[in-house]
Amino acid sequence: MSKFPPRVFSGIKPSGDLHLGNYLGAIRRFVPLQKTHACIYCVVDLHAITVWQDPEDLKRGTYEIAAAYLAAGVDPKEHIIFNQSQVVEHAELAWMFNCVVRMGWMQRMTQYKDKAGKNTQNVSLGLFAYPSLMAADILLYQTTHVPVGDDQKQHLELTRDIAQKFNNDFAGSISKNNLPAEFFPIIEPVITGPATRILSLKDGAKKMSKSEQSSAATIYMLDDADAIAKKIKKAKSDADALPSEVAGLEGRLEAGNLVGIYAALADISKQDVLNEFGGKGFGTFKPALADLAVAHLAPIAENMRRYLAEPDEIETILKDGANRARTIAQKTMKDVREIIGFVQ
Ligand code: AQP
């Protein structure tokens, strides 16, 4: 068992409008973890600027993500909600990790390859170094568990490698400073449930994403009931009835996606969904999914709008969260500077 107290860290970047994938893959799963773990939920604005962000949109996105955390049920008093740029230690530790991580490790990151595409000479250095910053976000708080969607799995594996390499590279200094040999924890990814990868409603080969251009492909958290129902009814599907066993969804990406969304919203398994809808066509299933999605998401959107109408309240919550996060971060960084050999 890990000697570290159970602590959760996760974040979402304000790089566009928050969508159902962010909600089901991450935010929805943040809430129950509050019962068993000390949780730190961050708006990772330093990550957002790895691609160009209009300053006004960046601010708006930051409020929106904080509002979504609150509306979904994260308790900012018992736990911590803050935006990353208010705790400068994230950037400091990321620099140190840039000097630990190897180029070859970073070059293998598929998210970088996908985002850079053929444009590798013209994307920011920050986009390439993104996984070091993510490792710093997590390890700064000696986090043990990280709930994320499936697309972040490779970055979490890299975080484990960075922690391991740091612990090994500095083993002598860690011991000389009377610190535990496992200075940084080897984190556990929490990638569970039926909705770890929500797909575009228009193309099952792509994940639902903030940077998707087609709004018909994406359910946004602030969509109204009408828009949600329309998008689900027009979502790409196929001509066959739903199977009665999960194995029957193999190779039917769009059908599997819609069944996964239903399961996640109803908090049941995909098999439970098929027990109810197996043998039925999309003419029956889509309206039922639309009703469920509206019933679940509309109250959250309403709650988000209430928070968004009070930006001062959000700012107070973020500032208070940042103050508490900083206290933990400063303690870690004091030890890290000592371990590395910086005079302080
Ligand atoms: N489609 C998805 N299905 C399930 N989980 C998802 N997540 C993102 N998309 C899906 C999870 O949401 C959390 C926050 O993601 P992020 O904001 O850090 O960046 P991302 O994964 O790159 O998300 P986007 O929406 O696709 O943003 P852009 O287009 O700006 O890159 C993470 O836990 C992620 O796994």
Side-chain angles (χ1 to χ4, degrees), residues 37-340:
H37 295 67
C39 298
I40 303 177
Y41 295 129
C42 190
V43 184
V44 285
D45 46 12
L46 296 177
H47 283 278
I49 62 163
T50 53
V51 294
W52 163 254
Q53 302 296 327
D54 175 88
E56 284 310 311
D57 288 344
L58 183 66
K59 276 196 183 134
R60 191 182 51 78
T62 302
Y63 290 117
E64 185 180 311
I65 293 171
Y69 290 166
L70 295 162
V74 175
D75 178 344
K77 291 211 164 72
E78 281 295 311
H79 300 274
I80 292 177
I81 295 178
F82 76 109
N83 59 313
Q84 189 185 22
S85 58
Q86 293 208 54
V87 179
V88 295
E89 285 76 7
H90 286 253
E92 185 185 2
L93 186 58
W95 177 257
M96 293 165 184
F97 285 167
N98 279 340
C99 302
V100 171
V101 76
R102 305 291 93 182
M103 288 291 284
W105 299 4
M106 298 293 247
Q107 276 159 347
R108 283 196 287 275
M109 294 298 109
T110 54
Q111 192 178 84
Y112 169 72
K113 288 193 232 173
D114 290 347
K115 289 199 175 204
K118 293 202 171 79
N119 199 21
T120 50
Q121 295 307 299
N122 208 23
V123 292
S124 73
L125 180 60
L127 189 70
F128 184 70
Y130 184 115
S132 288
L133 178 58
M134 182 162 161
D137 300 339
I138 294 166
L139 296 174
L140 195 49
Y141 302 100
Q142 294 177 317
T143 304
T144 53
H145 294 80
V146 187
V148 285
D150 180 66
D151 61 322
Q152 296 300 328
K153 188 161 179 253
Q154 197 186 28
H155 290 162
L156 295 190
E157 282 159 5
L158 186 82
T159 299
R160 290 166 66 98
D161 292 343
I162 290 176
Q164 192 89 62
K165 188 168 189 309
F166 184 96
N167 292 345
N168 289 344
D169 287 356
F170 292 102
S173 181
I174 288 171
S175 133
K176 216 181 261 167
N177 282 290
N178 292 321
L179 291 162
E182 193 186 327
F183 177 75
F184 282 123
I186 309 303
I187 49 141
E188 286 299 328
V190 186
I191 305 175
T192 50
T196 54
R197 186 176 182 82
I198 299 295
L199 305 177
S200 152
L201 297 182
K202 290 293 176 194
D203 179 358
K206 292 204 288 197
K207 79 171 185 119
M208 193 175 280
S209 173
K210 291 190 220 92
S211 41
E212 165 66 54
Q213 298 302 315
S214 154
S215 86
T218 313
I219 294 178
Y220 297 107
M221 292 308 288
L222 288 172
D223 275 346
D224 62 24
D226 217 36
I228 295 172
K230 258 194 207 126
K231 288 180 187 183
I232 290 176
K233 286 178 190 160
K234 290 193 171 163
K236 187 170 173 204
S237 54
D238 55 42
D240 295 339
L242 284 170
S244 46
E245 302 293 331
V246 174
L249 291 169
E250 191 89 19
R252 295 177 65 185
L253 289 177
E254 286 87 5
N257 188 41
L258 296 177
V259 169
I261 293 173
Y262 192 107
L265 288 170
D267 210 6
I268 57 178
S269 68
K270 284 188 181 182
Q271 187 56 54
D272 290 333
V273 180
L274 297 180
N275 291 345
E276 192 179 341
F277 291 98
K280 296 190 176 132
F282 284 96
T284 306
F285 182 63
K286 280 184 179 173
L289 175 58
D291 286 349
L292 176 66
V294 168
H296 189 103
L297 299 174
I300 298 175
E302 196 184 310
N303 234 340
M304 280 176 70
R305 282 192 202 94
R306 266 214 328 270
Y307 281 110
L308 287 170
E310 306 283 349
D312 292 356
E313 194 186 326
I314 293 182
E315 280 166 25
T316 305
I317 287 170
L318 293 176
K319 199 167 281 305
D320 170 64
N323 288 339
R324 288 185 288 135
R326 194 178 303 110
T327 304
I328 307 171
Q330 283 176 339
K331 155 93 184 63
T332 306
M333 288 316 296
K334 189 165 189 315
D335 289 341
V336 169
R337 288 187 214 106
E338 209 55 54
I339 289 168
I340 292 181

Side-chain angles (χ1 to χ4, degrees), residues 2-50:
S2 169
K3 62 190 165 43
F4 294 92
R7 181 178 279 155
V8 164
F9 180 96
S10 196
I12 297 185
K13 58 186 186 330
S15 52
D17 295 331
L18 209 57
H19 57 77
L20 186 66
N22 300 135
Y23 175 67
L24 293 178
I27 302 175
R28 173 99 200 266
R29 294 164 48 240
F30 292 177
V31 179
L33 285 164
Q34 296 180 106
K35 288 201 200 108
T36 46
H37 295 67
C39 298
I40 303 177
Y41 295 129
C42 190
V43 184
V44 285
D45 46 12
L46 296 177
H47 283 278
I49 62 163
T50 53

